[in-house]
Amino acid sequence: MKHLSDQELMSIVQAGDFAPASEIYDRYSSRIYNFAYRFLKNSEAAEDATQEVFVKMLKHAGQFHGGAKLSTWLFSITANWCRDYLRKAENRSKDGEDVLITLPAPAELSPERHLERREDEQRIQKALTLLSPDQREAILLSRYQGLSYAEIAQISGCSEGAVKTRVFRAMEVLKKALTGDARGGDRCLTAIP
Amino acid sequence: MPDCDSMRENMPLLLTESLDPARRELTHQHIETCPMCVAEWSAYKETWSILDTLPELDVPARVKQRFLAEVSPAVTPNVVPFRRRSAPRWLAQAAAAVIIAGGAFYGGHRMTPRVELTPTPATLVNVQPAPFYSIAESRVLPAASISPQIEGRPDIQNVQFTDASPSNDQIGVSFDITSHVTVTGRPTDKSMVRLLRYVLENEDKQSPSRSRAIDWVRSTYAHVGNPDPEITEALANVLRNDDNQGVRIKAADTLRSLQSTMTDGTRDALVEALKNDPNPAVRLKAVEALAKLARSGGNMDPDMVDTLRKKASQGDENVYVRVKAAEALSSIQPK
């Protein structure tokens, strides 16, 4: 199966044979999980997202069109799931429930290196939480998934211009948070209402 | 003169190298002549680089188990009639098990072996033990030794038929088939090293697959004191030859993390990448690996030092590459 293209695998799924499920999962689960984790900062939610995205992929395989990239379609499902999760989490918070924020199990590193890496990771994750969900979605898809603005626009359901603005504004916030550099930031932000 | 705000909006696109040539040129020209934007561009690159340090997380195995369990009735392998597939690219049915009972029946000859696995210390799982096992071989099997039940979805290609000869009533059907083999062993076992080298250098010739192989090698050998030099040499070959910049970036970065077995060949591959790779991110990873080598007092040669010197002072080179090259030079201890 691993030599088949995404389109060929999806053709099999669309014909009602779910045998390629495992292969498709192996190809994309890491990207989906990491995107969801960075978006939600919650490993349990990221696990649920990953599982449900692939289940939805199988259930709604008929909606996938061969002309599109499978990755774009999967990220669309994932982004929708994450946005939905945040909306529900917000409602839960209003009801007084805490949103569980958990970190994945640490890798086997020396204590010093582990501490250093954990601090870096927390600093970046904290900076990402400063972004609006739209900005976070755009920067995660651009920086970590290497998607073009056209693909991000398709996933986020907005124009390429909107993606450009979201990434730019996200970078302004992250620059300030991660490098302490606010040069020109206010000026640029006021230039884009 | 273009205004600074519109130029700064282009900076994220410059970082992803997705700006069209005309606007890229215009933006670079503006940055070079605008002190404010030079500083801004530098901060953008620094931020972009910091974001890169966020580690990739492994998906817990339970997620796949849960997913497959949820859809299990649908993914249970079907028993299908034994027939030739019509599609030309039905390749590699990794999970399909064509039960060829009694592997010891095989005779014939081996085709040109690409990778051979010696029987020890690696072991084969779910395969009849055999004194030698080649993963590129030719077998001749009597029909009686093959289960009449063809399970899974066997992938067969290059089917040829041999007519019955006048002297007997035998016929022959030959085909190529890919079966699923699991080789287990320690990361330091030579058989395993040789197999991983083959995977790194040949896997599919498709970058996503090779990229996964590099990730796996990196995480596996991060905990091995001195990985076999064949692993780093394979990564060096990937760095030299892969068309995909993302794969070359990973190869260079993994070489940085496996410094303990840096050979002259791998160091030279990093120097070549620093000199000639068209992608600045690859050059950056290469110079970071060389800087680490310099800091650790590793094996350096005049060409490496000369290249670092040139890069540190090369005006049109990426700023971060120049800075790292300068750092590497300052780390070199005079002998």
Side-chain angles (χ1 to χ4, degrees), chain B residues 159-191:
Chain B
V159 178
Q160 294 170 25
F161 303 96
T162 308
D163 289 335
S165 70
S167 58
N168 63 37
D169 59 352
Q170 299 289 296
I171 60 168
V173 181
S174 11
F175 49 86
D176 297 333
I177 186 159
T178 304
S179 55
H180 193 66
V181 176
T182 302
V183 179
T184 61
R186 291 185 298 275
T188 50
D189 291 344
K190 197 65 179 175
S191 303

Side-chain angles (χ1 to χ4, degrees), chain A residues 1 26 34 47 144 172 183, chain B residues 40 44 51 57 62 92:
Chain A
M1 288 261 174
D26 288 343
N34 276 280
E47 287 183 25
Y144 295 107
E172 286 294 325
R183 284 169 297 186
Chain B
E40 192 73 3
Y44 261 89
L51 289 173
L57 303 174
R62 60 180 171 269

Side-chain angles (χ1 to χ4, degrees), chain A residues 1-5 8 12 17-19 21-23 25-27 29-30 33-34 37-38 47-48 50-51 54-55 57-59 104 108 117 120-121 123-125 128 139 142-144 149 164-165 167-168 171-172 174-175 178-179 181 183-185 187-188 191-192, chain B residues 3-6 8-10 12-13 15-16 18-19 23 36 39-40 42-68 70-71 74-75 78 89-94 153 203-204 206 209 212 218 223:
Chain A
M1 288 261 174
K2 66 178 183 175
H3 289 232
L4 296 178
S5 69
E8 287 168 324
I12 298 172
D17 182 351
F18 287 177
S22 180
E23 173 61 24
Y25 178 92
D26 288 343
R27 287 186 194 182
S29 58
S30 179
Y33 176 78
N34 276 280
Y37 176 72
R38 287 163 182 166
E47 287 183 25
D48 290 345
T50 306
Q51 181 185 343
F54 285 100
V55 170
M57 173 202 73
L58 295 179
K59 283 184 178 170
E108 291 176 20
R117 182 176 286 194
D120 289 345
E121 185 185 328
R123 198 161 62 97
I124 298 169
Q125 283 286 8
L128 288 170
I139 196 75
S142 173
R143 179 65 186 93
Y144 295 107
Y149 284 10
K164 184 179 177 184
T165 303
V167 171
F168 171 69
M171 282 298 290
E172 286 294 325
L174 293 172
K175 177 162 63 73
L178 296 173
T179 70
D181 185 347
R183 284 169 297 186
R187 188 179 161 202
C188 293
I192 302 171
Chain B
D3 71 287
C4 293
D5 286 332
S6 65
R8 289 173 192 181
E9 273 191 73
N10 287 338
L13 287 160
L15 290 165
T16 54
S18 45
L19 211 52
R23 284 195 298 164
M36 286 292 288
E40 192 73 3
S42 178
Y44 261 89
K45 285 189 293 187
E46 187 184 349
T47 305
W48 203 247
S49 177
I50 290 170
L51 289 173
D52 194 35
T53 61
L54 198 58
E56 283 279 313
L57 303 174
D58 291 332
V59 191
R62 60 180 171 269
V63 181
K64 185 174 185 180
Q65 288 163 3
R66 275 170 16 202
F67 162 59
L68 292 179
E70 187 164 347
V71 297
V75 297
N78 300 320
R89 294 194 60 205
W90 289 105
L91 298 173
Q93 293 289 333
R153 299 172 63 87
E203 171 71 2
D204 287 353
Q206 286 177 1
S209 180
R212 283 199 297 275
R218 180 183 185 146
H223 311 299

